[in-house]
Amino acid sequence: MATGKQIDTDILSDEIFDVLCSMCKNKGRNAEGEKYCVDCKDYFCITCVQVHSQVPLCAGHNVLDKSQVKSGTSKCYPRALAERCDKHSHKHIDMYCQIHDNVGCSTCMAVDHRLCKDTFYIPELIQNNTYQISSREIQTMLKALATTLAEQADRFKQDKQRLLKRKAELLADIRKFRQEINDHLDKLEKSSIDEIEDKVKCFEDTIEDGLKQLQANKFRITSASDKLASKKANPAEVFVYVKMAEYAANVANNYVEHTKMKCTVEDIMFQPDRTILTQLEHRNTLGTLSEKLTKTSVNLFQIKGNKSYNVKVKSGKYDCYTSSVCCMEDGSIILVDYMNKKLQRLHSCKYTVTDYCDLPAYPMKCDQ
């Protein structure tokens, strides 16, 4: 085995070392790469891999032995995967659960698939050729899905534009209705003001008429008093003036007594209609909002074919009639064969009967 000491690179060939330590090679030395870092995608010798592990950013990297890496060509690639787990970022996805047809890290398998029996280490599964992968069909399906999702995204954008347009229309309707309410309230306000104006005008005219009559009576009283005070009047004129003064006094006195019997206006009161305000207080909005949902069917997957599986066991006398189906936690499927009075367990992927048990009578379906 070669060490980390200086070696002439001109005489180095694949017959001496399968791969070289990348750090030593950068420093002009040649050492065999005994370790492979999946994250860095580089080979390291025993000395350099210790330095690599001491770097804080590289402390969690997945380092493999050279025996775990396929070699033989200039383009060596690891059997382990470099993809990290979404749930456990410090772990790499290197496990596969055949029952649930799902991949994950070792922690995922220990937590979420602890009851599953068919779990495999992916590098060994691929190396042993026990599982074949057809990426071409998956790529075709992903491309079709990408197109479908893009079309759905366009529909979402169009729905959003229609929604925003409808929002503007609804807001305009609300403002229009509010304006109608304002116009009607303006009419009610004008009617109330006109009513007050008419009422005040009526009382004002009555008061003005009373003032005119008072002025007339006052003028007659003053005139009669002045004539009686005249020194040039003879006895006959005095007699006339006295009678005219008595008449003016009687008229004025009668008017005073008449006005005392009339009701005087002290104040005009306005009593608002509180039912209008009560109705507004009991309203949370200016109207009701209803929704009309339009369902659009989007098929992300299309059925391209189907298969039939024979789940009848050899001891069954009649054709299998499945009355109930149940999916268990480990991914297996439980079928109830009514006619043959059997309870069967199927493999989740192969859909073959793994075991069954005979029932003492025909199984009854429970509605609860």
Side-chain angles (χ1 to χ4, degrees):
M1 181 181 295
T3 62
K5 61 183 181 179
Q6 189 76 18
I7 299 178
D8 189 359
T9 57
D10 294 335
I11 63 173
L12 184 66
S13 65
D14 290 340
E15 296 179 356
I16 301 176
F17 295 142
D18 291 335
V19 288
L20 296 176
C21 172
S22 59
M23 293 181 64
C24 292
K25 185 176 181 181
N26 293 335
K27 295 180 180 180
R29 301 192 303 267
N30 292 294
E32 187 174 5
E34 297 289 344
K35 300 289 184 178
Y36 180 84
C37 178
V38 177
D39 299 88
C40 297
K41 295 181 174 57
D42 281 329
Y43 287 88
F44 301 96
C45 64
I46 300 299
T47 303
C48 293
V49 77
Q50 295 178 356
V51 178
H52 167 273
S53 301
Q54 293 175 358
V55 178
L57 295 178
C58 303
H61 287 192
N62 187 14
V63 179
L64 306 176
D65 291 333
K66 183 175 147 182
S67 59
Q68 295 179 280
V69 181
K70 288 185 178 181
S71 60
T73 62
S74 59
K75 296 182 179 180
C76 299
Y77 58 92
R79 287 158 49 194
L81 301 177
E83 190 71 21
R84 289 188 178 271
C85 180
D86 294 335
K87 295 182 179 179
H88 314 96
S89 58
H90 61 288
K91 295 283 188 176
H92 292 81
I93 298 178
D94 54 3
M95 298 296 294
Y96 170 69
C97 176
Q98 189 174 14
I99 294 178
H100 293 93
D101 193 23
N102 194 12
V103 295
C105 65
S106 57
T107 304
C108 291
M109 296 299 151
V111 176
D112 300 331
H113 303 271
R114 59 183 181 277
L115 299 179
C116 302
K117 297 180 180 180
D118 296 337
T119 57
F120 302 94
Y121 182 55
I122 295 177
E124 294 180 354
L125 182 67
I126 302 301
Q127 184 179 11
N128 296 332
N129 295 324
T130 58
Y131 190 83
Q132 299 295 329
I133 299 177
S134 178
S135 61
R136 182 175 300 177
E137 294 181 1
I138 299 297
Q139 289 178 349
T140 303
M141 183 186 68
L142 292 178
K143 186 180 294 185
L145 282 175
T147 303
T148 304
L149 292 174
E151 295 174 353
Q152 181 65 12
D154 292 337
R155 281 193 288 268
F156 282 152
K157 293 179 181 178
Q158 294 175 3
D159 291 342
K160 183 178 180 180
Q161 293 177 355
R162 285 194 295 268
L163 181 62
L164 294 177
K165 181 180 178 181
R166 186 56 182 159
K167 174 186 175 182
E169 295 174 352
L170 293 175
L171 293 179
D173 292 340
I174 292 175
R175 296 187 182 97
K176 181 180 178 181
F177 182 59
R178 170 62 185 275
Q179 187 60 45
E180 292 178 1
I181 295 176
N182 291 343
D183 294 340
H184 192 68
L185 290 176
D186 291 341
K187 292 180 180 180
L188 294 178
E189 180 184 8
K190 185 177 183 304
S191 298
S192 298
I193 293 175
D194 292 342
E195 184 179 0
I196 293 176
E197 292 288 350
D198 294 340
K199 184 69 66 174
V200 171
K201 183 66 169 57
C202 181
F203 286 114
E204 190 177 14
D205 292 342
T206 302
I207 293 173
E208 290 293 335
D209 183 64
L211 289 174
K212 290 179 180 179
Q213 293 185 29
L214 286 174
Q215 292 293 335
N217 286 309
K218 183 179 178 181
F219 176 76
R220 285 194 292 266
I221 294 296
T222 304
S223 177
S225 178
D226 293 340
K227 289 179 180 180
L228 286 175
S230 177
K231 297 179 180 181
K232 297 179 179 180
N234 55 41
E237 291 178 333
V238 171
F239 178 80
V240 173
Y241 292 155
V242 169
K243 293 302 178 180
M244 292 179 62
E246 289 177 352
Y247 176 76
N250 289 332
V251 172
N253 187 53
N254 291 334
Y255 179 77
V256 171
E257 293 296 331
H258 178 70
T259 55
K260 287 182 179 180
M261 296 178 62
K262 288 185 176 181
C263 298
T264 58
V265 180
E266 296 182 356
D267 196 4
I268 300 177
M269 304 297 294
F270 172 75
Q271 186 66 32
D273 188 356
R274 293 290 177 181
T275 58
I276 299 176
L277 185 59
T278 302
Q279 291 178 357
L280 293 177
E281 289 177 347
H282 286 80
R283 301 289 301 180
N284 295 326
T285 60
L286 293 177
T288 57
L289 185 65
S290 60
E291 297 180 7
K292 183 179 179 181
L293 300 178
T294 303
K295 294 184 179 180
T296 56
S297 58
V298 179
N299 297 323
L300 296 180
F301 296 92
Q302 295 181 351
I303 299 176
K304 294 184 178 181
N306 55 58
K307 293 182 180 180
S308 299
Y309 296 91
N310 185 11
V311 295
K312 180 181 177 181
V313 297
K314 294 182 179 180
S315 60
K317 297 180 181 180
Y318 307 100
D319 292 337
C320 181
Y321 175 75
T322 303
S323 60
S324 298
V325 179
C326 178
C327 184
M328 305 302 291
E329 186 178 359
D330 60 355
S332 60
I333 302 173
I334 302 298
L335 297 180
V336 177
D337 187 352
Y338 179 82
M339 295 300 300
N340 294 301
K341 297 186 287 186
K342 296 182 183 298
L343 193 65
Q344 304 173 177
R345 181 192 296 271
L346 303 184
H347 192 278
S348 61
C349 298
K350 300 178 181 179
Y351 301 105
T352 57
V353 179
T354 57
D355 54 7
Y356 68 93
C357 66
D358 295 322
L359 301 176
Y362 290 105
M364 300 298 294
K365 183 178 179 181
C366 181
D367 296 332
Q368 297 180 351

